[in-house]
């Protein structure tokens, strides 16, 4: 007896992009469709190609690859620092030093001794929020943590219209910048990715810079650190990083093609509704709601 | 530079129980305290010992141990079936067959051929909700998925007072019963544990029977299955289960002592508030909210 819990997004995220489906006049279909049917009916214009200068390729010592999309609109100074570090191949040969269950994977310089390349400031002022985005698609229902929450340009964001500010939120696979207690104690050389239930308590307390769009399972399946806060206790436990490079530094035919589902389209509105009220036959009690981080943002990847 | 993101619960959950702290008159302290300070000041009476007949001990092939508390108040028939299966040592020698990233780990009989012990019905009617609990501590703020959400007897629950019903919710580490499409297609021989962001869409669509109270990282760090829905594709990938036993079947001096923080006490109210508004110096912008599944329920374990 195989359990038939159905979740189609993870397979989609990991599979090579399928050939573009033909474009039926399906967007305005009156019959409620399942998530899979909605995704199958998307058109090329429903997807946004991640720019090569916003795509970080992290390769582990065992060859496993993790793709990270950077978010310059939300953290321009930190993203600039990350691009400089990646162009200098500063992370090459460094390591993952911390894996805390249901929380974060963190990587950087275990010895905290490697000199930073020119152009990376010693410390950056935090970028915990940003101006309101031009296009915002609300996630229906209360968020709890923020006056409004929803999606902008393919990112999960919270919004405070009264203050005119928006910010990226901590969902599974979000990538942020490690800091010490002082808010301006980070320069983006030490990064973390969320591998557990959304730690929204970190929103507006840490600068988020992007999210893992492919390969998060390379992080989430690592052995947990047994030291305080999940740090590995011995140097031989560190997980080697072979390289971290910007996709734009690669020859065009060597770059992964990563597309994220646009969040300002009728297709996304249908997708969102299908996550609130699952239509797969497995579900007898549709929830009528999906919290922001339970709306997985579809990605498709074509590796070179 | 070490990242100072502070989360003290995971270490607490894994450490042997420390000697009971002395009982200062600290419950009504006027000074806001951190989560760690609140837990440090708890008294013996703030904790509930998990009954040995409600404690399932799953031992993996490599000796790794996972402790699961059963929830007979919410799913009495399924828990009875699980107890019968464990007493018959039915799972001994079976395997984990599915690990889907950010979703579930699932175990049972890979060949679906092992005869069930006497007393286990072929199929059970679902137990997706239960009567309202005698004591309920609301989680402040909107839940989104249910009219009310909070805690009862140490469990995260949702409540619908109009219907007079309550149900366990899917949080990280929740344990449920696999089924096929028909709602009455489960007998509790195939179980799963959540290893990702709370899939609340499953609430009231699957029977929840308990939660992992220790050792969830043994599940969450397993290699992900590459088949559909995260199933392992080859038999040699299955993760062997050495045994699944009820603690009450062991001699008293061999039983793990598992205590969960009671949720109907002033200590828990203080704990809950400290999770909504983190007081550790790291936090400059306390969230003012904690969603139900981001309130980790403290556990302390003393192994024999």
């Amino acid at each position: 007896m195989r359990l038939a819990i159905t979740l189609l997004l993870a397979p989609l995220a990991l599979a090579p992009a399928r050939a573009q489906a033909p474009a039926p006049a399906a967007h305005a279909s009156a019959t409620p469709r399942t998530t899979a049917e909605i995704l199958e009916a998307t058109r090329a214009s429903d997807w946004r190609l991640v720019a090569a200068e916003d795509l970080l390729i992290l390769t582990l010592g065992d060859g496993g690859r993790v793709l990270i999309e950077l978010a310059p609109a939300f953290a321009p100074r930190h993203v600039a620092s990350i691009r400089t570090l990646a162009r200098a191949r500063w992370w090459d040969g460094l390591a993952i030093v911390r894996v805390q269950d249901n929380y974060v994977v963190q990587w950087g310089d275990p010895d905290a001794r490697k000199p930073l390349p020119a152009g990376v400031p010693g410390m950056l002022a935090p970028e915990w929020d940003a101006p309101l985005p031009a296009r915002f698609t609300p996630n229906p229902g209360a968020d709890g943590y923020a006056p409004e929450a929803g999606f902008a340009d393919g990112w999960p964001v919270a919004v405070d219209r009264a203050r005119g500010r928006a910010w990226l939120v901590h969902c599974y696979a979000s990538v942020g910048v490690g800091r010490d207690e002082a808010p301006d104690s980070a320069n983006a050389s030490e990064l973390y990715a969320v591998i557990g239930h959304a730690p929204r308590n970190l929103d507006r307390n840490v600068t988020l810079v992007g999210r893992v769009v492919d390969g998060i399972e390379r992080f989430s399946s690592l052995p947990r650190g047994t030291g305080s806060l999940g740090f590995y206790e011995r140097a031989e436990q560190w997980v080697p990083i072979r390289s971290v490079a910007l996709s734009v530094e690669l020859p065009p035919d060597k770059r992964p093609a990563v597309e994220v589902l646009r969040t300002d389209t009728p297709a996304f509105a249908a997708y969102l509704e299908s996550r609130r009220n699952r239509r797969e036959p497995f579900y007898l009690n549709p929830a009528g709601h999906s919290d922001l981080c339970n709306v997985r943002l579809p990605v498709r990847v074509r590796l070179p």
Side-chain angles (χ1 to χ4, degrees), chain A:
Chain A
M1 180 178 52
R2 286 293 163 88
L3 172 62
I5 288 179
T6 303
L7 187 81
L8 295 163
L9 297 180
L12 182 75
L14 299 176
R18 55 196 74 182
Q20 292 297 331
H27 280 325
S29 166
T31 311
R33 293 169 294 160
T34 65
T35 300
E37 289 165 344
I38 289 162
L39 289 175
E40 194 62 42
T42 53
R43 311 166 188 204
S45 58
D46 290 323
W47 298 82
R48 169 175 64 76
L49 185 68
V50 173
E53 59 265 35
D54 293 337
L55 189 62
L56 211 55
I57 304 170
L58 183 153
T59 307
L60 294 171
D62 65 3
R65 184 151 50 175
V66 178
L67 303 179
I68 296 169
E69 181 184 7
L70 300 173
F74 290 90
R77 293 187 302 275
H78 285 76
V79 167
S81 180
I82 288 170
R83 288 195 186 116
T84 303
L85 288 157
R87 287 203 169 90
R89 306 298 287 263
W90 187 80
W91 283 289
D92 294 16
L94 298 181
I96 292 170
V97 294
R98 176 189 187 192
V99 182
Q100 183 170 353
D101 193 64
N102 192 18
Y103 202 42
V104 295
V105 163
Q106 185 178 327
W107 64 97
D109 177 13
D111 300 317
R113 277 194 301 224
K114 188 168 181 173
L116 295 168
V120 173
M123 289 298 154
L124 283 165
E127 295 177 296
W128 292 349
D129 59 13
L132 293 175
R135 274 194 287 262
F136 175 72
T137 303
N139 188 44
D143 177 64
Y145 291 95
E148 281 185 82
F151 307 92
D153 204 25
W155 297 94
V157 300
V159 159
D160 184 344
R161 290 185 199 274
R163 292 179 52 246
R165 305 298 286 174
W167 55 96
L168 291 180
V169 307
H170 280 81
C171 292
Y172 192 85
S174 291
V175 173
V177 170
R179 68 165 171 91
D180 289 324
E181 268 188 23
D184 57 349
S185 59
N187 59 16
S189 65
E190 185 148 347
L191 300 175
Y192 66 88
V194 172
I195 58 159
H197 183 78
R200 296 279 309 270
N201 46 289
L202 295 175
D203 294 356
R204 287 190 296 175
N205 283 286
V206 195
T207 299
L208 285 170
V209 292
R211 64 179 174 123
V212 175
V213 287
D214 194 47
I216 183 71
E217 75 283 0
R218 309 261 182 201
F219 284 162
S220 56
S221 62
L222 290 172
R224 274 46 182 163
T226 51
S228 172
L229 304 177
F231 280 95
Y232 289 130
E233 296 183 274
R234 298 188 309 278
E236 61 267 30
Q237 296 171 316
W238 294 337
V239 178
I241 291 175
R242 183 184 299 173
S243 64
V244 177
L246 270 182
S247 183
V248 72
E249 300 277 294
L250 302 177
D253 65 339
K254 301 290 185 199
R255 299 175 189 165
V258 176
E259 291 177 294
V260 301
L261 191 66
R262 286 176 52 188
T263 50
D264 58 350
T265 62
F268 183 76
Y271 171 81
L272 192 53
E273 205 285 324
S274 80
R275 301 316 280 170
R276 292 201 301 280
N277 293 299
R278 310 283 177 115
R279 301 232 162 65
E280 296 81 9
F282 181 82
Y283 289 93
L284 279 83
N285 286 312
H289 181 69
S290 180
D291 68 88
L292 188 67
C293 291
N294 204 19
V295 179
R296 309 274 289 279
L297 292 168
V299 172
R300 54 187 190 184
V301 176
R302 193 169 50 244
L303 296 176

